[in-house]
Amino acid sequence: MLKKIALVFSILFLSSTLVSCGQQKPGTAAFVGDTRITSIELSTYLADLRAVVPFDNNDQGTAQSRGVLARLIIGSIINEALIETNAKIDQGLVGKDYLALEKQAGGTDALGIFAGSRNVPPMLIKDVLSQNRAIEAIGKTLLPNAPALIQMARGEAFVLNIASKKKIVINPRYGTWIPADGSIAPPANELSEPAFAKPENLLQTP
């Protein structure tokens, strides 16, 4: 049944400038400009994720850390884009998206496990759905008379533009920010984890 769920987390590869590690504070997971993501905040979401998808080895554990941190980073940037454009999210639509997704998954627990398999903590599912609607709202605000696909593309481009100008630094404990391709570099001998994961077409029909 889970294979029928069209929950797609596509990747935005964004570039930015690495900030000096001297800006790090104890208990900091990352800085997105002046916005600080704390290690405690990250740990809270990781605990929620690992409650549904326990990690079997250190490589999987570090991949989960990078994946969740990526969600928090893109969330911060999308929030800034909303403020800059004065776009408003229709929370009613977000609620409907969640209910539809929950029904497709076969219940709350099944949805949590499915999302967790994609490094999305259950407590962040609604945030991911909201981010999708946020990009849609940004595009509608910038191009109110354009077709929906053009609006979505414009919203994505606006978020990309903000992110490309941001100074982003990752605590070395979690990885290293690579500005050339907008990724969080993992420990040696692992594939890079893209730093930006943007939800798109979450309820796309098969």
Side-chain angles (χ1 to χ4, degrees), residues 49-61:
L49 171 61
R50 289 166 180 172
V52 294
V53 183
F55 67 97
D56 297 323
N57 53 63
N58 289 336
D59 288 351
Q60 183 183 357

Side-chain angles (χ1 to χ4, degrees), residues 7 9 49 52-53 110-122 125:
L7 179 60
F9 297 104
L49 171 61
V52 294
V53 183
L111 176 57
I113 292 171
F114 181 79
S117 70
R118 282 140 180 81
N119 286 337
V120 177
I125 293 173

Side-chain angles (χ1 to χ4, degrees), residues 55-73:
F55 67 97
D56 297 323
N57 53 63
N58 289 336
D59 288 351
Q60 183 183 357
T62 56
Q64 287 179 334
S65 296
R66 295 193 308 273
V68 174
L69 185 54
R71 305 290 173 189
L72 301 180
I73 290 172

Side-chain angles (χ1 to χ4, degrees), residues 5-114:
I5 304 174
L7 179 60
V8 181
F9 297 104
S10 64
I11 303 302
L12 290 180
F13 292 100
L14 310 175
S15 60
S16 183
T17 303
L18 183 64
V19 187
S20 168
C21 289
Q23 289 192 13
Q24 290 286 358
K25 298 179 181 179
T28 296
F31 274 104
V32 183
D34 294 329
T35 300
R36 180 183 177 219
I37 299 173
T38 69
S39 298
I40 292 176
E41 181 182 3
L42 177 59
S43 295
T44 298
Y45 290 119
L46 282 173
D48 184 55
L49 171 61
R50 289 166 180 172
V52 294
V53 183
F55 67 97
D56 297 323
N57 53 63
N58 289 336
D59 288 351
Q60 183 183 357
T62 56
Q64 287 179 334
S65 296
R66 295 193 308 273
V68 174
L69 185 54
R71 305 290 173 189
L72 301 180
I73 290 172
I74 191 60
S76 176
I77 291 173
I78 289 176
N79 286 339
E80 182 171 333
L82 284 169
I83 293 171
E84 287 197 19
T85 59
N86 199 32
K88 305 297 181 184
I89 303 172
D90 187 336
Q91 292 299 333
L93 291 177
V94 175
K96 289 179 181 179
D97 289 345
Y98 182 86
L99 290 175
L101 206 56
E102 184 180 52
K103 183 178 180 180
Q104 288 178 356
T108 303
D109 292 343
L111 176 57
I113 292 171
F114 181 79

Side-chain angles (χ1 to χ4, degrees), residues 157-177:
F158 190 84
V159 172
L160 279 166
N161 184 56
I162 292 178
S164 68
K165 298 175 182 177
K166 276 290 178 187
K167 294 181 178 180
I168 299 172
V169 65
I170 308 296
N171 187 317
R173 173 183 176 186
Y174 303 107
T176 303
W177 176 249

